[in-house]
Amino acid sequence: MIVDRNSPIPLYFQLQTWLQEQIEQGVFKPDDKIPTEEELVEITGLARATIRKAITNLVNMGYLRRKRRLGTFVEHRSESDDSQDIVGIIVPDIRTGYTPELVRGIEDEAANNRLSTILCNTDDLYFKANFHADRLISNSVCGVIFVPTAASDDKNRQIVEQFTQRDIPVILADRTIEDTELDYVTTNNFEGGYQLTKYLIDKGHSKIGITLSTLFSTERERLEGYKQALKDAGIDPDPEFMQLHNGPFSEEHYIKHVNILLGKTDEISAIFAGHDRIAYLIYSAAKDMGISIPEDISVVGYDDLNPNYSNLMPLTTMHQPIYEMGQESLKILMSRIKGGENSTEQKVLKSHLVERDSVCSLQRE
Amino acid sequence: MIVDRNSPIPLYFQLQTWLQEQIEQGVFKPDDKIPTEEELVEITGLARATIRKAITNLVNMGYLRRKRRLGTFVEHRSESDDSQDIVGIIVPDIRTGYTPELVRGIEDEAANNRLSTILCNTDDLYFKANFHADRLISNSVCGVIFVPTAASDDKNRQIVEQFTQRDIPVILADRTIEDTELDYVTTNNFEGGYQLTKYLIDKGHSKIGITLSTLFSTERERLEGYKQALKDAGIDPDPEFMQLHNGPFSEEHYIKHVNILLGKTDEISAIFAGHDRIAYLIYSAAKDMGISIPEDISVVGYDDLNPNYSNLMPLTTMHQPIYEMGQESLKILMSRIKGGENSTEQKVLKSHLVERDSVCSLQRE
DNA sequence: TTGGTTTAATTGTACATACAAATATACTAA
DNA sequence: TTAGTATATTTGTATGTACAATTAAACCAA
């Protein structure tokens, strides 16, 4: 029995559903001819008008195609549900830091998976992230890779929730939010901070300045690694040596912190820059002040942004696998889009120290 | 008379068209109630089933909305035709050169116009551009901003034609193609090349090396500007001093050209680098070779990629308004999308020379 | 006032019937 | 063989009728 006349479900809809099932289950295959309307009248006992209504709906939905004189045929159900294959990328600024590399990693992997990417810049501002979230939703993206802004975890969580409420999966990249439910990809920042600091200590440095932003999980972890390494070496972290910034990176602000640290060259022998852009600022300021690196002061950075021009600025730094981070983010996003996997995926990639020539050794070993 | 029974056009379709016109012309305004089906039976003399068919179609098309007991109402015709508001950006590589700045300019202006942007990297390869063109078309973008690849003008024109055949407007950014029919935004590269060369000449240099790629319209024009400036100063351009490269930028290839030029420091006193990345390579190679800039050799670049770190590498260079170029590209694209304007728009932005400390003066004036 | 019930208007579903339009196929004539 | 013609099949359009479902609004009772 195809239709049940006692059901409260409209007869045309019962027939429509039945036909749709036959198609989806492959009973009627693409290009197959389904029974003529007259035949369906006999099979179902419905009026032709009712049958036509069911078929018309399926034609509008793209399941069937009608041809006069020949009959009604099953359409090729487009493998790619078409136009749904876009993912959003929300980053601080495509121009700065590791962002270009990250985006390229995402984009390449997306292309491999026949996905397109919509790019959104937040300038680390919550309201811009919000604005872009709206747009991404109205473009019905199938997933989002999100680098949290400089706003509070709460605000960033609000952004994420806008997507998750609509069943759009979100993967955090690089920076994380306090929320065990979220998927993310980042690097071992604590360990990286620890290693860099230990490297300096092993080179004989014990008074080590540090400057970074406490707004981001990444830099906070590096700071913790720095503190732990000092403690493990029996050195008490000196608050005087920590120039912590409470905002996103900006030249104007950091130049102050850098100048303070460079003014303490009699007290400290090394500076841990929260990331390479700060380190470059140190190079620049040091040059202006006639301080030479590494002779007068040692510097380490984090990111390894410009390995190509490293002999102009031979910065010892922690190389982060940014491109891979982008790829990995998209891979996890893909598995989320395809469904399955209920447990959260939290991937921590490994960085490695790249030794160049910005640190001098204070001891002969 | 709303319907003409002698017309070969189906009655339901005549009614449907009439209703649609009333809506589009504002006779029926959003949220207005249109006549009930029974009233339309009286007005038109058609059967209710026929009227229902017309209305059903318009409901499916988003023009009307039905509410039981209340009647049928005019829908708010979505100002944003939804999901059609995406533009494609096709660039060589989001990681390199001026591309991040360009993309950011496009993206910001796009956001102002409530457009989203899909990012595509070609690595200057034709086949990748082709691949992305397909994807952009299947995502039904409403326009494209395209930085031509390193392939021939013919191949690049093929890419453009894929879009124009589908009435998708394309704006070329930075690089141009020999084809007067195309819209583009670029800068005055000939003039820029001329000015930089004249600047060197005015500083007393007469034997000036140059290295750049002949694949791109931009660099070819700079070369022409260079030649013209030399001629105007009565200097015959020496092919020996021109290290022309027949491919896109790559460290491996350019390092050879750079080394050749740096090996001629007894013959030439200055080098015109086709763009800043080449200039950086010169700085790097010069450092390795113990050649100092500008004492041993003067260098000028083109782009002004890193004004922030200019005191580490005080390169005299031609500042291009890249961000503005991105904005301008999108503005022209917008006007194309909105229609109107049949004549091609070809905008040439002005660059300006930024004098730093990479050129020494050979004469006292 | 509150809360439930009835009523009437309007769209939604369903059926029977009729003829029109398109067109693949078979047939026919040059 | 070719070109035109008839035919049968199937979808497309159109009408008239009937009743169901929904629900705003009026009505009524506590």
Side-chain angles (χ1 to χ4, degrees):
Chain A
M1 264 310 182
I2 295 173
V3 293
D4 171 8
R5 302 195 91 98
N6 297 318
S7 163
I9 299 166
L11 298 174
Y12 82 92
F13 193 75
Q14 291 186 42
L15 175 60
Q16 178 184 328
T17 308
W18 180 79
L19 283 169
Q20 195 177 330
E21 278 172 13
Q22 302 303 301
I23 293 167
E24 280 170 354
Q25 291 170 16
V27 183
F28 296 143
K29 297 188 188 69
D31 289 334
D32 272 7
K33 181 182 171 183
I34 69 166
T36 66
E37 295 177 358
E38 213 47 62
E39 282 166 353
L40 283 170
V41 168
E42 294 208 353
I43 294 171
T44 61
L46 300 173
R48 194 177 146 223
T50 308
I51 284 160
R52 274 190 73 73
K53 172 145 191 173
I55 291 179
T56 302
N57 285 344
L58 289 171
V59 168
N60 288 337
M61 292 164 71
Y63 281 89
L64 295 173
R65 134 182 53 98
R66 294 204 256 222
K67 270 208 118 182
R68 268 190 191 176
R69 168 62 229 263
L70 293 182
T72 305
F73 302 85
V74 178
E75 273 280 24
H76 292 269
R77 271 313 264 173
S78 49
E79 317 112 51
S80 61
D81 286 44
D82 227 47
S83 84
Q84 295 296 61
D85 42 4
I86 303 178
V87 300
I89 306 180
I90 307 179
V91 293
D93 182 359
I94 187 60
R95 293 171 294 188
T96 57
Y98 58 74
T99 312
E101 189 79 20
L102 178 73
V103 169
R104 184 66 208 253
I106 296 171
E107 218 277 305
D108 281 359
E109 192 63 26
N112 284 340
N113 288 283
R114 326 201 109 267
L115 292 171
S116 294
T117 56
I118 289 184
L119 180 66
C120 304
N121 297 289
T122 63
D123 291 321
D124 266 328
L125 298 169
Y126 169 74
F127 85 92
K128 287 199 182 182
N130 222 358
F131 169 77
H132 288 298
D134 276 355
R135 281 171 53 209
L136 290 178
I137 287 166
S138 77
N139 277 313
S140 56
V141 292
C142 60
V144 172
I145 292 174
F146 177 39
V147 178
T149 67
S152 65
D153 279 7
D154 241 16
K155 294 251 179 177
N156 282 313
R157 209 174 291 118
Q158 278 174 38
I159 301 285
V160 173
E161 268 163 16
Q162 286 190 51
F163 294 108
T164 48
Q165 274 169 15
R166 292 170 173 81
D167 283 321
I168 300 170
V170 175
I171 314 292
L172 302 185
D174 192 44
R175 302 173 186 163
T176 58
I177 303 178
E178 284 297 324
D179 186 336
T180 47
E181 294 300 303
L182 296 173
D183 296 328
Y184 62 73
V185 181
T186 186
T187 64
N188 53 347
N189 285 289
F190 175 86
E191 217 177 309
Y194 188 97
Q195 280 177 26
L196 272 175
T197 311
K198 184 161 187 303
Y199 172 82
L200 289 170
I201 293 169
D202 288 348
K203 287 277 183 184
H205 300 272
S206 57
K207 308 277 188 183
I208 305 170
I210 188 167
T211 178
L212 46 71
S213 168
T214 55
L215 276 187
F216 307 112
S217 63
T218 47
E219 297 181 47
R220 279 199 303 270
E221 286 173 28
R222 289 168 206 169
L223 177 62
E224 290 309 312
Y226 158 88
K227 287 182 186 169
Q228 191 61 48
L230 288 178
K231 283 178 193 159
D232 287 356
I235 303 167
D236 210 27
D238 187 339
E240 287 288 307
F241 300 162
M242 299 184 204
Q243 287 293 321
L244 304 183
H245 182 58
N246 187 30
F249 178 81
S250 84
E251 297 245 344
E252 307 96 83
H253 288 110
Y254 268 94
I255 197 74
K256 293 181 200 157
H257 298 299
V258 165
N259 283 337
I260 292 174
L261 289 175
L262 287 178
K264 292 182 193 282
T265 42
D266 45 344
E267 300 174 58
I268 60 178
S269 61
I271 303 178
F272 183 148
H275 51 77
D276 280 4
R277 295 167 72 201
I278 302 174
Y280 298 157
L281 213 54
I282 296 174
Y283 264 86
S284 180
K287 186 166 185 184
D288 287 347
M289 297 163 79
I291 298 173
S292 52
I293 299 169
E295 291 76 11
D296 301 328
I297 192 144
S298 296
V299 176
V300 296
Y302 211 108
D303 275 346
D304 197 22
L305 285 185
N306 286 311
N308 287 338
Y309 303 117
S310 58
N311 65 344
L312 293 170
M313 231 184 301
L315 182 65
T316 293
T317 189
M318 189 61 62
H319 179 89
Q320 296 205 87
I322 297 294
Y323 184 88
E324 289 74 15
M325 189 154 81
Q327 289 184 304
E328 203 55 47
S329 309
L330 197 111
K331 279 179 188 162
I332 295 178
L333 186 58
M334 275 303 289
S335 71
R336 276 275 174 267
I337 291 168
K338 283 180 183 160
E341 274 299 325
N342 282 321
S343 61
T344 54
E345 276 223 49
Q346 305 188 330
K347 193 138 194 169
V348 179
L349 303 178
K350 294 232 177 310
S351 301
H352 66 266
L353 201 153
V354 178
E355 191 171 7
R356 296 209 178 88
D357 207 17
S358 63
V359 175
C360 71
S361 186
L362 293 185
Q363 300 170 321
R364 311 280 126 211
E365 57 258 63
Chain B
M1 264 313 182
I2 296 174
V3 294
D4 171 10
R5 299 194 94 96
N6 297 318
S7 162
I9 298 166
L11 298 174
Y12 81 92
F13 193 76
Q14 292 186 41
L15 175 60
Q16 177 184 328
T17 308
W18 180 79
L19 283 169
Q20 194 176 329
E21 278 172 13
Q22 302 303 300
I23 293 168
E24 279 170 356
Q25 291 170 14
V27 182
F28 296 144
K29 298 188 187 68
D31 289 334
D32 273 7
K33 181 183 171 182
I34 68 167
T36 66
E37 295 177 359
E38 213 48 61
E39 282 165 355
L40 283 170
V41 168
E42 293 207 354
I43 295 170
T44 61
L46 300 173
R48 195 178 145 223
T50 308
I51 285 159
R52 275 189 72 72
K53 173 146 191 171
I55 292 179
T56 301
N57 284 345
L58 289 170
V59 168
N60 288 337
M61 292 163 72
Y63 281 90
L64 295 173
R65 134 182 53 96
R66 294 204 256 222
K67 268 206 121 185
R68 271 190 189 174
R69 166 63 228 262
L70 294 182
T72 303
F73 302 85
V74 177
E75 273 280 26
H76 292 269
R77 262 325 252 173
S78 50
E79 315 110 54
S80 61
D81 286 45
D82 227 47
S83 85
Q84 294 298 59
D85 41 4
I86 303 178
V87 299
I89 306 179
I90 306 179
V91 293
D93 182 359
I94 187 59
R95 293 171 294 189
T96 56
Y98 58 74
T99 312
E101 189 79 19
L102 178 73
V103 168
R104 183 66 207 253
I106 297 171
E107 218 278 305
D108 281 358
E109 191 64 26
N112 284 341
N113 288 283
R114 328 201 107 267
L115 291 172
S116 294
T117 56
I118 290 184
L119 179 66
C120 304
N121 297 289
T122 63
D123 292 319
D124 266 328
L125 298 169
Y126 168 74
F127 85 92
K128 287 199 182 184
N130 222 358
F131 169 77
H132 288 298
D134 276 355
R135 281 172 51 208
L136 290 177
I137 287 166
S138 76
N139 277 313
S140 55
V141 292
C142 59
V144 173
I145 292 173
F146 177 39
V147 178
T149 67
S152 66
D153 278 9
D154 241 16
K155 294 252 178 174
N156 282 313
R157 207 175 292 117
Q158 279 175 38
I159 301 286
V160 173
E161 269 165 15
Q162 286 189 53
F163 293 109
T164 48
Q165 274 168 15
R166 292 169 174 82
D167 284 320
I168 301 170
V170 176
I171 313 293
L172 301 185
D174 191 45
R175 303 172 186 164
T176 58
I177 304 178
E178 284 297 323
D179 185 337
T180 49
E181 294 300 304
L182 295 173
D183 297 328
Y184 62 74
V185 181
T186 186
T187 63
N188 54 347
N189 285 290
F190 175 87
E191 218 177 308
Y194 189 97
Q195 280 177 26
L196 272 175
T197 311
K198 184 161 186 304
Y199 171 83
L200 289 171
I201 295 168
D202 288 347
K203 287 278 181 182
H205 299 273
S206 58
K207 308 278 189 183
I208 303 170
I210 189 166
T211 177
L212 46 70
S213 167
T214 55
L215 276 187
F216 307 112
S217 64
T218 47
E219 296 181 47
R220 279 198 304 270
E221 286 174 26
R222 289 169 205 168
L223 177 63
E224 291 310 311
Y226 157 89
K227 287 181 186 169
Q228 190 62 46
L230 288 178
K231 283 179 194 158
D232 287 357
I235 303 167
D236 211 26
D238 187 338
E240 288 288 306
F241 299 162
M242 299 185 204
Q243 286 293 322
L244 304 183
H245 182 59
N246 187 30
F249 177 80
S250 84
E251 297 245 343
E252 309 95 82
H253 287 110
Y254 268 94
I255 197 73
K256 292 181 202 159
H257 298 299
V258 166
N259 283 336
I260 291 173
L261 289 174
L262 287 178
K264 293 181 192 279
T265 42
D266 45 345
E267 300 175 57
I268 61 178
S269 62
I271 304 178
F272 184 147
H275 50 76
D276 279 5
R277 295 167 71 201
I278 301 175
Y280 297 158
L281 212 54
I282 296 175
Y283 263 85
S284 180
K287 186 165 186 185
D288 286 346
M289 298 163 77
I291 299 173
S292 51
I293 300 168
E295 290 76 11
D296 300 328
I297 191 141
S298 296
V299 176
V300 295
Y302 212 107
D303 275 345
D304 197 22
L305 286 185
N306 286 310
N308 287 337
Y309 303 116
S310 58
N311 64 344
L312 293 171
M313 233 184 299
L315 182 65
T316 293
T317 189
M318 190 58 64
H319 178 90
Q320 295 205 89
I322 296 293
Y323 183 89
E324 290 74 13
M325 189 155 80
Q327 287 184 305
E328 203 55 47
S329 309
L330 198 113
K331 280 180 187 161
I332 295 177
L333 186 58
M334 275 303 289
S335 70
R336 275 275 174 265
I337 292 168
K338 283 181 183 159
E341 275 298 325
N342 282 322
S343 63
T344 54
E345 277 224 48
Q346 305 187 329
K347 192 137 194 170
V348 180
L349 303 178
K350 294 231 179 311
S351 300
H352 66 266
L353 201 152
V354 177
E355 190 172 7
R356 296 209 179 89
D357 206 18
S358 63
V359 175
C360 71
S361 185
L362 293 185
Q363 299 171 323
R364 310 280 125 213
E365 59 257 59

